[in-house]
Amino acid sequence: VERWIALGAPHPDKDLAPRPAQPALAAEDERAHHWAFQTPVEPPLPAVTNEAWVRTPIDRFVLARLEAAGLSPAPEAERRVLIRRATFDLTGLPPTRAEVATFLSDRSPGAYARLIERLLASPRYGERWGRHWLDVARYADSNGLDENIAHGNAWRYRDWVVDALNADKPYDEFVREQVAGDLYPSDDPQVRNRRLTATGFLSLGPKVLAEVDETKMEMDIVDEQIDTVGKALLGLTLGCARCHDHKFDPISTQDYYALAGIFQSTRSMDSFTKIARWHENPLHDAAYDRDKADHDSRVAAQRSVIDGLVADATAALAQQLGAGAAMPEKPEESFPAETRQQLQQEREELAALEKQSPIQPTAMGVGEGEPRDTAIHVRGSHLTLGEVVPRRIPAVFVTAATPAVDPAGSGRLALAEWLASPDNPLAARVMVNRVWRWHFGRGIVATPNNFGLLGERPTDQALLDWLAVAFVRDGWSLKSLHRQIMLSATYRMASDTSEAAAAVDPGNQRLGHFPMRRLDAEEIRDALLAVSDQLDPTMGGPVLAVDNRAFIFDHTSKDETSYDRSRRSIYLPVVRNHLHECFMLFDYSDASTPNGNRNTSTVASQALYLMNGELVATAAQRLADRVLSEGGSSDATRTDWLYQTCLARPASDEEVARVAEYLQRFSDLTDTPDGKSHEHTSWQLVCQALLISSEFVYVE
């Protein structure tokens, strides 16, 4: 019912007379004492018995909980396992045979730390971890919903994220630019471009662009922005307060509409008329400026030619009519036929030239609108308004240090400054929890988008708070956070578990061993392309075959989606309602809402896709080409080459024998006149067997 009302319908049982606004929740409200709303304080490092195991402070927290349960951590993983684990974690790609060999041959102190530094310095790091953030930012290259038209310039935001992470942009700056980048001045046009592009974070959400009630459309867009900021940056479900005070968290309806005023004062849309148009920020581009100046000059020259012709013909006509004669109302009709024909030709050339005007680059984003406060919408309906609420930060978070909203602006600047401030008890906690989840498969808080009372409590709040405090102290550096985690003994553990650990901690919440995980959808596709030498390493740029705002997919038979490319998966179009088939099967993110978790399902269609899909078949074929050209002359050396390429380990004697047996049986049972084709086919099937194996699609 509440959702129905929020969409503009009247309540079926009650009248819609305005009600007095609920007062903001008092600071004494017991819900305000929830752990997540308290500023994190650095806890003391726990004492442990097994001091020799500890490599970083993280290990003390993990080991203390294990020892309290009578458990011991798993032994350190083999070096081959570590390089494959770390390479997939930081780049989303498998290590090459050369990279594995180099790491294994380096037995000097610090070899593993140097491996981590090399991976953090790789441009592939930004692509991998940029994709993680794009899940949170609900990134898509199309609108979805009623009018699925192209986000033709969304790619600029995607590339901004990749570049920001590769440059290790401090997370507080990363947040501020996405919420209010347009409000931070810069004399450098490229810096200004990047900040304008970053605000695409607020613009990327799906919108009902054909909604006839323009006020309702506006408030639904504002609601989506509040929901995104709440879940992505605060780990709170702020959207629940649209219709009533939050039932569980200390967020009142007044708090919601105080934030709504900030986003209503923000220019997110240029037009709400069907089909509504989202706002895009013009970007500075030197090439565009040159082309535009040249084009304007040519247009002006062409107009001068036309004006000259008209002036000359008019003067000739006046002379012909004689002194004192009245000029015809439409003098051009009296021009000679040859002159009229020449004018028509010159004007057609002008019209064609004007259509060739260069297009200024733009990026999806927001700007400042007309500052205004918003009235409470009774039961979420814009048809029934209550008290007007001044724009501000939610009351439960307000302290003496909280920035006040400038009445002359939207309030986004104050919101951005608070969101990315150590005064905000959630900012650092939420992000370090996301990074932990993306490394270990489960966050310290298992509900990364909900730190409220209905979210899961942290399995180790002391560890979470220590990480949050260290994150801020280290300049909000994500790469420093990666080092803290990946250099720890906790991260380096093997994935094997003991019977005692399985009995005491079957869910591995104490992290007694490293959790094995299946590759994400993008990692599966990219790994298949990488080992078969098909992966195009080109970074960035547009991905759609249609113009900005054009229909990419409609409700008839029109479908302009194309995935026929071999670039990394982050550069494939994310079309709402029509994802790449590999993504749909392997639990890709839902681009309609912020997502900090991905499920890992196991269904029959996944196995069928791996056995019969064109992507896998082509990869196996290309990989067989490599085996026969690079793997040596004997079946044994080829088998070993194949295992090292796909699994980062040599083939065992048993595996070499099994492959040899299979190749012989294939030769005996098939009748192929072309010997080369026969050999290639048999190796292609061996390759496919490895590519669809659990060892290929799982990381230990």
Side-chain angles (χ1 to χ4, degrees), residues 312-382:
D312 291 346
T314 301
L317 179 60
Q319 185 177 7
Q320 179 183 343
L321 293 174
M327 186 68 67
E329 183 177 351
K330 296 181 179 180
E332 285 194 20
E333 293 181 357
S334 300
F335 291 172
E338 181 181 350
T339 301
R340 294 199 306 272
Q341 182 178 0
Q342 186 178 1
L343 277 172
Q344 179 181 355
Q345 179 179 344
E346 297 292 346
R347 284 169 174 156
E348 287 175 353
E349 290 181 10
L350 174 62
L353 183 60
E354 288 176 330
K355 291 179 180 178
Q356 297 169 7
S357 177
I359 299 175
Q360 183 171 12
T362 61
M364 294 182 73
V366 301
E368 285 289 84
E370 179 184 352
R372 52 177 164 160
D373 293 329
T374 302
I376 288 177
H377 291 39
V378 179
R379 304 183 186 93
S381 171
H382 65 286

Coordinates of all heavy atoms in Angstrom, one line a residue, residues 312-382:
D312 N 23.6 42.9 -53.7 CA 23.8 43.3 -55.1 C 22.5 43.3 -56.0 O 22.3 44.2 -56.8 CB 24.9 42.4 -55.7 CG 26.3 42.6 -55.1 OD1 26.4 43.6 -54.4 OD2 27.1 41.7 -55.3
A313 N 21.8 42.2 -55.8 CA 20.5 42.0 -56.6 C 19.5 43.1 -56.2 O 18.8 43.6 -57.1 CB 20.0 40.7 -56.4
T314 N 19.5 43.5 -54.9 CA 18.5 44.5 -54.5 C 18.9 45.8 -55.1 O 18.0 46.6 -55.5 CB 18.5 44.6 -52.9 OG1 18.1 43.3 -52.4 CG2 17.5 45.6 -52.4
A315 N 20.2 46.1 -55.0 CA 20.7 47.4 -55.6 C 20.4 47.5 -57.1 O 19.9 48.5 -57.6 CB 22.2 47.6 -55.4
A316 N 20.6 46.4 -57.8 CA 20.3 46.3 -59.2 C 18.8 46.5 -59.5 O 18.4 47.2 -60.4 CB 20.8 45.0 -59.8
L317 N 18.0 45.9 -58.6 CA 16.5 46.1 -58.8 C 16.1 47.5 -58.6 O 15.2 48.1 -59.3 CB 15.8 45.1 -57.8 CG 14.3 45.2 -57.8 CD1 13.7 44.8 -59.2 CD2 13.7 44.2 -56.8
A318 N 16.7 48.2 -57.5 CA 16.3 49.6 -57.2 C 16.7 50.5 -58.4 O 16.0 51.4 -58.8 CB 17.0 50.0 -56.0
Q319 N 17.9 50.2 -59.0 CA 18.3 51.0 -60.2 C 17.4 50.8 -61.3 O 17.0 51.7 -62.1 CB 19.7 50.6 -60.5 CG 20.3 51.5 -61.6 CD 21.8 51.2 -61.9 OE1 22.3 50.2 -61.3 NE2 22.4 52.0 -62.8
Q320 N 16.9 49.6 -61.5 CA 16.0 49.2 -62.6 C 14.7 49.9 -62.4 O 14.0 50.4 -63.4 CB 15.8 47.7 -62.6 CG 14.9 47.2 -63.7 CD 14.7 45.7 -63.7 OE1 15.4 45.0 -63.1 NE2 13.6 45.3 -64.3
L321 N 14.2 50.0 -61.2 CA 12.9 50.6 -60.9 C 12.9 52.1 -61.0 O 11.9 52.8 -61.3 CB 12.4 50.2 -59.5 CG 12.0 48.7 -59.3 CD1 11.7 48.5 -57.9 CD2 10.9 48.4 -60.2
G322 N 14.1 52.7 -60.8 CA 14.3 54.1 -60.9 C 14.1 54.8 -59.5 O 13.6 54.3 -58.6
A323 N 14.7 56.1 -59.5 CA 14.6 56.8 -58.2 C 13.2 57.1 -57.8 O 12.3 57.5 -58.6 CB 15.4 58.1 -58.4
G324 N 13.0 56.9 -56.5 CA 11.7 57.2 -55.9 C 10.6 56.1 -56.0 O 9.6 56.2 -55.4
A325 N 10.9 55.1 -56.8 CA 10.0 54.0 -56.9 C 10.0 53.1 -55.7 O 11.0 52.9 -55.1 CB 10.3 53.1 -58.2
A326 N 8.8 52.6 -55.3 CA 8.7 51.8 -54.1 C 9.3 50.4 -54.4 O 9.0 49.8 -55.5 CB 7.2 51.7 -53.7
M327 N 10.0 49.8 -53.5 CA 10.5 48.5 -53.6 C 9.4 47.5 -53.4 O 8.6 47.6 -52.5 CB 11.7 48.3 -52.6 CG 12.4 46.9 -52.7 SD 13.4 46.8 -54.2 CE 14.7 48.0 -53.9
P328 N 9.4 46.4 -54.1 CA 8.3 45.3 -53.9 C 8.4 44.8 -52.5 O 9.4 44.8 -51.9 CB 8.7 44.3 -55.0 CG 9.5 45.0 -56.0 CD 10.2 46.1 -55.3
E329 N 7.2 44.3 -52.0 CA 7.2 43.7 -50.6 C 8.1 42.5 -50.5 O 8.7 42.3 -49.5 CB 5.7 43.4 -50.3 CG 5.6 42.8 -48.9 CD 4.1 42.5 -48.6 OE1 3.2 42.9 -49.4 OE2 3.9 41.9 -47.5
K330 N 8.2 41.8 -51.6 CA 9.1 40.6 -51.6 C 10.1 40.8 -52.8 O 9.8 40.3 -53.9 CB 8.3 39.3 -51.8 CG 7.4 39.0 -50.6 CD 6.7 37.7 -50.7 CE 5.8 37.4 -49.6 NZ 5.1 36.1 -49.7
P331 N 11.1 41.6 -52.5 CA 12.0 41.9 -53.7 C 12.6 40.7 -54.3 O 12.9 40.8 -55.5 CB 13.0 42.9 -53.0 CG 13.0 42.6 -51.6 CD 11.5 42.2 -51.3
E332 N 12.9 39.7 -53.6 CA 13.6 38.5 -54.2 C 12.8 37.9 -55.3 O 13.4 37.3 -56.2 CB 13.9 37.5 -53.1 CG 15.1 37.9 -52.2 CD 15.6 36.7 -51.4 OE1 15.4 35.5 -51.8 OE2 16.3 36.9 -50.4
E333 N 11.5 38.0 -55.3 CA 10.7 37.5 -56.4 C 10.9 38.2 -57.7 O 10.5 37.7 -58.7 CB 9.2 37.5 -56.0 CG 8.9 36.6 -54.8 CD 7.4 36.6 -54.4 OE1 6.7 37.4 -55.0 OE2 7.0 35.8 -53.5
S334 N 11.5 39.4 -57.6 CA 11.7 40.2 -58.8 C 13.2 40.1 -59.2 O 13.5 40.7 -60.2 CB 11.4 41.7 -58.5 OG 10.0 41.8 -58.1
F335 N 14.0 39.3 -58.5 CA 15.3 39.1 -58.9 C 15.3 38.3 -60.2 O 14.4 37.5 -60.5 CB 16.1 38.4 -57.9 CG 16.4 39.2 -56.6 CD1 17.0 38.5 -55.5 CD2 16.1 40.5 -56.5 CE1 17.3 39.2 -54.4 CE2 16.4 41.2 -55.4 CZ 17.0 40.6 -54.3
P336 N 16.4 38.4 -61.0 CA 16.5 37.6 -62.2 C 16.5 36.1 -61.8 O 16.9 35.7 -60.7 CB 17.8 38.0 -62.8 CG 18.1 39.3 -62.3 CD 17.5 39.4 -60.9
A337 N 16.0 35.2 -62.7 CA 15.9 33.8 -62.4 C 17.3 33.2 -62.1 O 17.4 32.4 -61.2 CB 15.3 33.1 -63.6
E338 N 18.3 33.7 -62.8 CA 19.6 33.1 -62.5 C 20.1 33.5 -61.1 O 20.7 32.7 -60.4 CB 20.6 33.7 -63.5 CG 22.0 33.2 -63.3 CD 23.0 33.8 -64.4 OE1 22.5 34.5 -65.3 OE2 24.2 33.7 -64.2
T339 N 19.8 34.7 -60.6 CA 20.1 35.1 -59.3 C 19.3 34.3 -58.2 O 19.9 33.9 -57.2 CB 19.8 36.6 -59.1 OG1 20.6 37.4 -60.0 CG2 20.2 37.0 -57.6
R340 N 18.0 34.1 -58.5 CA 17.2 33.3 -57.5 C 17.7 31.9 -57.5 O 17.8 31.3 -56.4 CB 15.7 33.3 -58.0 CG 15.1 34.7 -57.9 CD 13.6 34.6 -57.9 NE 13.0 33.8 -59.0 CZ 12.7 34.3 -60.2 NH1 12.9 35.6 -60.4 NH2 12.2 33.6 -61.1
Q341 N 18.1 31.3 -58.6 CA 18.7 30.0 -58.6 C 20.0 29.9 -57.8 O 20.2 29.0 -57.0 CB 18.9 29.5 -60.0 CG 19.4 28.0 -60.1 CD 19.5 27.6 -61.5 OE1 19.2 28.3 -62.5 NE2 19.9 26.3 -61.7
Q342 N 20.8 30.9 -58.0 CA 22.1 30.9 -57.3 C 21.9 31.1 -55.8 O 22.6 30.4 -54.9 CB 23.0 32.1 -57.8 CG 24.4 32.0 -57.2 CD 25.3 33.1 -57.7 OE1 24.8 33.9 -58.6 NE2 26.5 33.1 -57.3
L343 N 20.9 31.9 -55.4 CA 20.6 32.1 -53.9 C 20.1 30.8 -53.3 O 20.5 30.4 -52.2 CB 19.6 33.2 -53.8 CG 20.1 34.6 -53.7 CD1 18.9 35.6 -53.7 CD2 20.9 34.8 -52.5
Q344 N 19.2 30.1 -54.1 CA 18.7 28.8 -53.6 C 19.9 27.8 -53.4 O 19.9 27.1 -52.3 CB 17.7 28.2 -54.6 CG 17.1 26.9 -54.1 CD 16.1 26.3 -55.1 OE1 15.8 27.0 -56.1 NE2 15.6 25.1 -54.8
Q345 N 20.8 27.8 -54.3 CA 21.9 26.9 -54.2 C 22.8 27.2 -53.0 O 23.2 26.4 -52.2 CB 22.7 26.9 -55.5 CG 23.9 25.9 -55.4 CD 24.7 26.0 -56.7 OE1 24.2 26.5 -57.8 NE2 25.9 25.5 -56.7
E346 N 23.1 28.5 -52.8 CA 23.9 29.0 -51.7 C 23.2 28.7 -50.3 O 23.9 28.3 -49.4 CB 24.2 30.5 -51.8 CG 25.0 30.8 -53.0 CD 26.5 30.3 -53.0 OE1 26.9 29.9 -51.9 OE2 27.1 30.3 -54.0
R347 N 21.9 28.9 -50.3 CA 21.2 28.6 -49.0 C 21.1 27.1 -48.7 O 21.2 26.7 -47.5 CB 19.8 29.2 -49.1 CG 19.8 30.7 -48.9 CD 18.5 31.4 -49.3 NE 18.6 32.8 -49.0 CZ 17.8 33.7 -49.5 NH1 16.9 33.4 -50.5 NH2 17.9 35.0 -49.2
E348 N 21.0 26.3 -49.7 CA 21.1 24.9 -49.5 C 22.4 24.4 -48.9 O 22.5 23.6 -48.0 CB 20.7 24.1 -50.8 CG 19.3 24.2 -51.2 CD 19.0 23.6 -52.5 OE1 20.0 23.2 -53.2 OE2 17.8 23.5 -52.9
E349 N 23.5 25.1 -49.5 CA 24.8 24.8 -49.0 C 25.0 25.2 -47.5 O 25.6 24.6 -46.7 CB 25.9 25.4 -49.9 CG 26.0 24.8 -51.3 CD 27.0 25.5 -52.1 OE1 27.8 26.3 -51.6 OE2 27.1 25.2 -53.3
L350 N 24.4 26.4 -47.2 CA 24.4 26.9 -45.8 C 23.7 25.9 -44.9 O 24.2 25.6 -43.8 CB 23.8 28.3 -45.7 CG 23.7 28.9 -44.3 CD1 25.0 29.0 -43.7 CD2 22.9 30.2 -44.4
A351 N 22.5 25.5 -45.3 CA 21.7 24.5 -44.4 C 22.5 23.3 -44.2 O 22.6 22.7 -43.1 CB 20.4 24.2 -45.1
A352 N 23.2 22.7 -45.2 CA 24.0 21.5 -45.1 C 25.2 21.8 -44.2 O 25.5 20.9 -43.3 CB 24.4 21.0 -46.4
L353 N 25.8 22.9 -44.3 CA 26.9 23.3 -43.5 C 26.5 23.4 -42.0 O 27.3 22.9 -41.1 CB 27.6 24.6 -44.0 CG 28.8 25.1 -43.3 CD1 29.9 24.0 -43.4 CD2 29.3 26.4 -43.9
E354 N 25.4 24.0 -41.8 CA 25.0 24.2 -40.4 C 24.7 22.9 -39.7 O 24.9 22.7 -38.5 CB 23.7 25.1 -40.3 CG 24.0 26.5 -40.7 CD 22.7 27.4 -40.7 OE1 21.7 26.8 -41.1 OE2 22.8 28.6 -40.4
K355 N 24.2 21.9 -40.5 CA 24.0 20.5 -39.9 C 25.3 19.8 -39.6 O 25.3 18.8 -38.8 CB 23.2 19.7 -40.9 CG 21.8 20.2 -41.1 CD 21.0 19.3 -42.1 CE 19.6 19.8 -42.3 NZ 18.9 18.9 -43.3
Q356 N 26.4 20.3 -40.1 CA 27.7 19.6 -39.9 C 28.4 20.2 -38.7 O 29.6 20.0 -38.4 CB 28.6 19.8 -41.1 CG 28.0 19.0 -42.3 CD 28.8 19.4 -43.6 OE1 29.8 20.1 -43.5 NE2 28.3 18.9 -44.7
S357 N 27.7 21.0 -37.9 CA 28.3 21.6 -36.7 C 28.9 20.6 -35.8 O 28.2 19.6 -35.5 CB 27.3 22.5 -36.0 OG 27.9 23.1 -34.8
P358 N 30.1 20.7 -35.3 CA 30.7 19.7 -34.4 C 29.9 19.7 -33.1 O 29.3 20.7 -32.7 CB 32.1 20.3 -34.1 CG 32.1 21.7 -34.5 CD 31.1 21.9 -35.6
I359 N 29.8 18.5 -32.5 CA 29.1 18.3 -31.3 C 30.0 18.4 -30.1 O 31.0 17.8 -30.0 CB 28.4 16.9 -31.3 CG1 27.4 16.8 -32.5 CG2 27.7 16.6 -30.0 CD1 26.8 15.4 -32.7
Q360 N 29.6 19.3 -29.2 CA 30.4 19.5 -28.0 C 30.3 18.2 -27.1 O 29.2 17.7 -26.8 CB 30.0 20.7 -27.2 CG 30.8 20.9 -26.0 CD 30.5 22.3 -25.3 OE1 29.5 22.9 -25.6 NE2 31.4 22.7 -24.4
P361 N 31.4 17.7 -26.6 CA 31.4 16.6 -25.7 C 30.6 16.9 -24.4 O 30.7 18.0 -23.9 CB 32.9 16.3 -25.4 CG 33.6 16.9 -26.5 CD 32.8 18.1 -26.9
T362 N 29.8 16.0 -24.0 CA 29.0 16.1 -22.7 C 29.1 14.9 -21.9 O 29.5 13.8 -22.5 CB 27.6 16.5 -23.0 OG1 27.0 15.4 -23.7 CG2 27.4 17.8 -23.8
A363 N 28.8 15.0 -20.7 CA 28.8 13.8 -19.7 C 27.6 13.9 -18.9 O 27.2 15.0 -18.4 CB 30.1 13.9 -18.9
M364 N 27.0 12.7 -18.7 CA 25.8 12.7 -17.8 C 26.3 13.2 -16.4 O 27.4 12.9 -15.9 CB 25.4 11.2 -17.6 CG 24.8 10.6 -18.9 SD 24.2 8.9 -18.6 CE 22.7 9.3 -17.6
G365 N 25.4 14.0 -15.8 CA 25.8 14.6 -14.5 C 24.7 15.6 -14.1 O 23.6 15.6 -14.7
V366 N 25.0 16.3 -13.1 CA 24.0 17.2 -12.5 C 24.7 18.6 -12.4 O 25.9 18.8 -12.5 CB 23.6 16.7 -11.1 CG1 22.9 15.4 -11.2 CG2 24.7 16.7 -10.1
G367 N 23.8 19.6 -12.1 CA 24.3 20.9 -11.8 C 23.4 21.6 -10.8 O 22.5 20.9 -10.2
E368 N 23.6 22.8 -10.5 CA 22.8 23.5 -9.5 C 21.5 23.9 -10.2 O 21.4 24.4 -11.3 CB 23.5 24.8 -9.0 CG 24.6 24.4 -8.1 CD 24.1 24.0 -6.7 OE1 23.8 22.7 -6.6 OE2 24.0 24.8 -5.8
G369 N 20.4 23.8 -9.4 CA 19.1 24.2 -9.8 C 18.7 25.4 -8.9 O 19.5 26.1 -8.3
E370 N 17.4 25.7 -8.9 CA 16.9 26.7 -8.0 C 16.8 26.3 -6.6 O 16.1 25.3 -6.3 CB 15.5 27.2 -8.5 CG 14.9 28.3 -7.7 CD 13.5 28.6 -8.2 OE1 13.0 28.1 -9.3 OE2 12.8 29.4 -7.5
P371 N 17.4 26.9 -5.7 CA 17.4 26.5 -4.3 C 16.0 26.5 -3.7 O 15.3 27.6 -3.9 CB 18.3 27.5 -3.5 CG 19.1 28.1 -4.6 CD 18.3 28.1 -5.8
R372 N 15.5 25.5 -3.1 CA 14.2 25.4 -2.5 C 14.2 24.3 -1.4 O 14.8 23.3 -1.6 CB 13.1 25.2 -3.5 CG 13.4 24.0 -4.4 CD 12.2 23.8 -5.4 NE 12.6 22.9 -6.5 CZ 11.7 22.3 -7.2 NH1 10.4 22.4 -7.0 NH2 12.1 21.5 -8.2
D373 N 13.3 24.6 -0.4 CA 13.1 23.5 0.6 C 11.8 22.8 0.1 O 11.0 23.3 -0.6 CB 12.9 24.2 1.9 CG 14.1 24.8 2.5 OD1 15.2 24.3 2.1 OD2 14.1 25.8 3.2
T374 N 11.7 21.6 0.6 CA 10.6 20.7 0.2 C 9.7 20.4 1.3 O 10.1 20.2 2.5 CB 11.2 19.3 -0.3 OG1 12.1 19.6 -1.4 CG2 10.2 18.4 -0.8
A375 N 8.4 20.4 1.0 CA 7.4 20.0 2.0 C 7.3 18.5 2.1 O 7.5 17.8 1.2 CB 6.0 20.6 1.5
I376 N 7.0 18.1 3.3 CA 6.8 16.7 3.6 C 5.6 16.2 2.7 O 4.6 16.9 2.6 CB 6.5 16.4 5.1 CG1 7.7 16.5 5.9 CG2 5.9 15.0 5.3 CD1 7.5 16.4 7.4
H377 N 5.8 15.1 2.0 CA 4.7 14.5 1.2 C 4.0 13.5 2.1 O 4.6 12.4 2.4 CB 5.3 13.8 -0.1 CG 5.8 14.8 -1.1 ND1 6.5 15.9 -0.7 CD2 5.7 14.8 -2.4 CE1 6.9 16.6 -1.8 NE2 6.4 16.0 -2.8
V378 N 2.8 13.8 2.5 CA 2.0 12.9 3.4 C 1.8 11.6 2.8 O 1.3 11.4 1.7 CB 0.7 13.6 3.8 CG1 -0.1 12.6 4.7 CG2 0.9 14.9 4.4
R379 N 2.3 10.6 3.5 CA 2.3 9.2 3.0 C 3.0 9.0 1.6 O 2.6 8.2 0.8 CB 0.8 8.6 2.9 CG 0.1 8.7 4.2 CD -1.3 8.1 4.1 NE -2.1 8.3 5.3 CZ -2.9 9.4 5.5 NH1 -3.1 10.3 4.5 NH2 -3.6 9.5 6.6
G380 N 3.9 9.9 1.4 CA 4.7 9.8 0.2 C 4.1 10.4 -1.1 O 4.6 10.3 -2.1
S381 N 2.9 10.9 -0.9 CA 2.1 11.4 -2.1 C 2.4 12.9 -2.3 O 2.2 13.7 -1.4 CB 0.6 11.2 -1.9 OG -0.1 11.9 -3.0
H382 N 2.8 13.3 -3.5 CA 3.0 14.7 -3.8 C 1.8 15.5 -4.0 O 1.8 16.7 -4.1 CB 3.8 14.8 -5.1 CG 3.1 14.3 -6.3 ND1 2.9 13.0 -6.6 CD2 2.5 15.0 -7.3 CE1 2.2 12.8 -7.7 NE2 1.9 14.0 -8.2

